[in-house]
Amino acid sequence: MALDTIDLVTFEDRHLDGALRLSREAGWPHRREDWAMSLELGEGFVALHGEEVVGTIVMTRLGEAIATISLVIVAEASRGRGLGRRLMDAALQAAGTRECRLTATADGLPLYEKLGFESTHGIRQHQGHVAAMPAADTAGVTLAEAEDFQAICLLDRLAHGIDRRALLRVAQRSGSLAVLRQDGHAVGYAALRPFGRGEVIGPVVAETDADARKLISFFASGKPGAFLRVDTPVALGLSAWLTERGLVEVGGGIAMRKGHTAPEPAGPTKVFGLFSQAIG
């Protein structure tokens, strides 16, 4: 298939079925609903050979400072022809002057490095059917009320340094939010939502490892036998604890960024679980 027979067009709802086929061929767990959610939050491009979707990419703006790039897939028969580069160039142009972030697989790493992306940290993906959870300390954790949303947005902004309100609205609508309170104040939060083969816990924002474990345990302990996924930065040390609870490590990726301009987070909160979209 020659590259000049492939057109790049705006990703629209009519392309979702083709995108779903691509992700299934790549062995990714995404449902059509997961693709639709990503498209709702961001904008993307698809590569078309005739009417066949042979490549995808999604760019999501997070305010004026940051954009994320995800769902980068090229059909196996179309690889090695520079199509991944064309998709990335389109997404980077759409992002403008924003710092761009993505999570890379080993296969995608060489391209992203050529484009000027730099590695920041490793990410581990844990998943599995949760057995009966050991007794866990979840003191202070409750399901979030409507009035907790502003506090959750503030905690998230302290952890990330940016406003991710739109993303949190989607997490609230499609799943559940929980908050950890101390002395009547929210000091951490977690989200649970449908994704792929089951449900994903993330984001998880807390001040300490112990608080993060409370928030994860709150959701996991109520899901015996369910298929759960948690993605977490390597450096924060949750992997062994997750494995002990039946969520085994199945791989991961490398967090990367290009054009670092965003302010560093101002608060003491840390990001223990990620808003899982695609690794690619």
Side-chain angles (χ1 to χ4, degrees), residues 77-258:
S78 301
R79 293 174 189 169
R81 296 176 171 84
L83 184 52
R85 177 66 182 256
R86 283 183 64 188
L87 288 163
M88 284 295 299
D89 286 344
L92 290 170
Q93 183 175 356
T97 60
R98 292 170 178 83
E99 173 187 325
C100 289
R101 299 178 181 179
L102 55 79
T103 302
T105 61
D107 289 342
L109 188 62
L111 171 61
Y112 304 139
E113 289 177 335
K114 287 178 183 177
L115 289 170
F117 282 84
E118 298 178 343
S119 302
T120 58
H121 59 274
I123 295 169
R124 287 179 176 161
Q125 182 185 136
H126 287 260
Q127 63 185 36
H129 292 278
V130 179
M133 285 282 291
D137 177 13
T138 60
V141 183
T142 62
L143 286 174
E145 304 289 344
E147 56 268 25
D148 292 318
F149 188 73
Q150 295 305 320
I152 288 171
C153 290
L154 176 58
L155 287 168
D156 192 79
R157 187 164 190 166
L158 288 172
H160 290 91
I162 52 175
D163 187 349
R164 305 198 309 166
R165 187 178 306 264
L167 181 151
L168 292 169
R169 286 280 186 205
V170 170
Q172 179 188 50
R173 184 192 69 211
S174 62
S176 301
L177 297 173
V179 292
L180 171 63
R181 292 184 175 86
Q182 292 177 1
D183 300 323
H185 301 287
V187 296
Y189 85 91
L192 173 77
R193 62 183 178 84
F195 179 84
R197 296 171 58 189
E199 294 174 286
V200 62
I201 299 175
V204 179
V205 167
E207 294 182 359
T208 67
D209 291 15
D211 287 350
R213 289 194 292 267
K214 281 185 178 184
L215 287 157
I216 294 170
S217 295
F218 177 81
F219 281 131
S221 62
K223 297 285 183 176
F227 188 86
L228 296 180
R229 171 176 166 178
V230 179
D231 293 358
T232 184
V234 172
L236 292 180
L238 280 183
S239 287
W241 181 82
L242 289 167
T243 299
E244 290 170 0
R245 278 144 186 82
L247 301 181
V248 298
E249 183 180 346
V250 295
I254 302 167
M256 307 187 79
R257 68 185 181 188
K258 173 184 171 69

